[in-house]
Amino acid sequence: MNDEPKSPAEMKELRLHRKRTQEVEGIKAMAEIAASDIAIRKRTEKLRALRLAKEAEDLANPPEPKAKPKAKAKVAKKADVK
């Protein structure tokens, strides 16, 4: 780095260059954010459509209830009476 003092005109030029660079980077960042937002919305819409289609299919074709196993008959124990 150059440690010699800069003139006010050079300092002003550096500030302007830095400001322009920041503006360009800001515009690029906002464009990236907007693009990712659009992509998220498209994915969400697709997943919602898939979910709704699956729910509609499940309502139209409900699964058959599972047969409950019969409980074994309990044998009563006889108490020894004396």
Side-chain angles (χ1 to χ4, degrees):
M1 292 207 317
N2 195 354
D3 290 336
E4 63 186 64
K6 306 213 187 277
S7 69
E10 290 173 327
M11 295 296 289
K12 183 177 181 180
E13 186 64 34
L14 287 173
R15 283 192 298 271
L16 284 174
H17 178 68
R18 189 175 11 197
K19 185 176 180 181
R20 287 183 194 130
T21 304
Q22 288 174 344
E23 287 175 356
V24 169
E25 289 175 0
I27 291 170
K28 286 180 184 178
M30 292 301 289
E32 289 175 8
I33 291 170
S36 67
D37 186 44
I38 290 170
I40 289 170
R41 289 175 190 255
K42 284 182 180 180
R43 277 194 307 261
T44 302
E45 184 178 331
K46 178 183 171 185
L47 290 172
R48 181 179 294 125
L50 289 171
R51 178 180 49 84
L52 292 175
K54 183 180 183 310
E55 288 175 357
E57 181 182 333
D58 289 346
L59 284 175
N61 302 320
E64 293 182 19
K66 294 182 180 178
K68 294 182 181 178
K70 293 185 178 182
K72 294 182 180 178
K74 293 184 179 179
V75 179
K77 292 184 179 180
K78 295 182 182 179
D80 290 330
V81 180
K82 289 187 179 182

